[in-house]
Amino acid sequence: MTPSKSRLSALTAEKILDVAEKLIQTRGYSAISYQDIADAIDMRKASIHYHYPSKADLGLAVIDRYAERFDTALRAIGDDTALSSVAALERYLEPFIAYAKQTDQVCLCGALAGEILVLPPAMRERVERFFAFHQTWLAKTLKRGADRGEFHLPGKPKQVARLFFAALQGALLVKRATGRADQVFDVIAMLRRQLSSEA
């Protein structure tokens, strides 16, 4: 069965977003162009402009899709009352561990934060929203773990959440600069140790 034109159009748009996301994660938003994307998927720039008229439109679409994937996953983890808080936090760490194993890939919004001052206002707002959602989710998970006796928190849940999030994002950036994955793994090990209920 031949896919419909609308289905093909949607697949093309997704393909563009896939490439743009990877390029932003490895090079940065300011350093990529529609020509880079066109070259990567053997497509005319006009076709990319058809789906995303401006670079800001493309950037927003990439962030929204990326954030939605995280939001959906984290909400599902948070809603699973049978899951221990330790297990929930381990699930949260999985993408960071995966990025650490890549040559030069970091969290999309972490990459964008490095050039926040040159981003269009709408993109800045999306990055800030992403960070706020993650820190809120972490604070809630940490509090639940402390209430259950699974975690020992060295401060208020909100403060520890900020430490946790900033440490992970920062570790990825240092890893990309140094090429050493142990930058991330050592940070994760220390965060786990810090939260240990036996600390």
Side-chain angles (χ1 to χ4, degrees):
M1 185 175 180
T2 303
S4 65
K5 284 187 177 181
S6 60
R7 176 61 176 160
L8 286 172
S9 180
L11 289 172
T12 299
E14 283 296 301
K15 194 172 184 180
I16 292 169
L17 292 181
D18 288 342
V19 173
E21 180 179 316
K22 183 71 177 292
L23 288 173
I24 293 171
Q25 287 177 298
T26 55
R27 298 186 196 175
Y29 176 77
S30 300
I32 67 169
S33 67
Y34 275 30
Q35 188 63 58
D36 294 323
I37 299 170
D39 291 343
I41 53 181
D42 194 22
M43 178 183 293
R44 294 183 302 112
K45 285 196 296 181
S47 297
I48 301 174
H49 281 287
Y50 170 78
H51 292 282
Y52 306 104
S54 72
K55 191 176 177 183
D57 293 325
L58 175 63
L60 288 171
V62 171
I63 297 172
D64 287 345
R65 189 182 68 153
Y66 184 81
E68 181 58 30
R69 289 202 307 264
F70 264 104
D71 290 0
T72 299
L74 293 182
R75 286 194 174 98
I77 294 169
D79 290 343
D80 187 352
T81 56
L83 194 67
S84 73
S85 302
V86 173
L89 207 56
E90 288 302 316
R91 294 264 191 92
Y92 182 81
L93 290 171
E94 288 174 2
F96 293 91
I97 293 171
Y99 290 145
K101 295 176 180 178
Q102 300 296 318
T103 303
D104 53 6
Q105 196 172 9
V106 298
C107 168
L108 176 79
C109 288
L112 290 169
E115 48 187 336
I116 198 76
L117 295 180
V118 299
L119 295 180
M123 287 183 64
R124 293 189 202 182
E125 189 274 333
R126 296 293 209 288
V127 172
E128 291 169 7
R129 187 191 303 172
F130 178 89
F131 287 170
F133 178 82
H134 278 243
Q135 291 181 27
T136 297
W137 185 90
L138 282 167
K140 182 178 178 180
T141 302
L142 290 167
K143 183 179 185 305
R144 185 178 73 175
D147 291 343
R148 292 178 174 183
E150 297 172 279
F151 293 142
H152 169 80
L153 302 187
K156 295 179 180 179
K158 183 177 180 179
Q159 295 173 320
V160 180
R162 287 177 171 175
L163 170 65
F164 207 95
F165 186 72
L168 290 171
Q169 292 288 350
L172 284 178
L173 293 175
V174 174
K175 172 260 169 187
R176 181 163 70 176
T178 62
R180 297 188 56 175
D182 60 353
Q183 293 281 350
V184 180
F185 298 138
D186 283 350
V187 165
I188 288 175
M190 292 306 297
L191 289 172
R192 286 172 175 151
R193 186 174 178 182
Q194 189 72 233
L195 296 178
S196 172
S197 58
E198 298 177 359

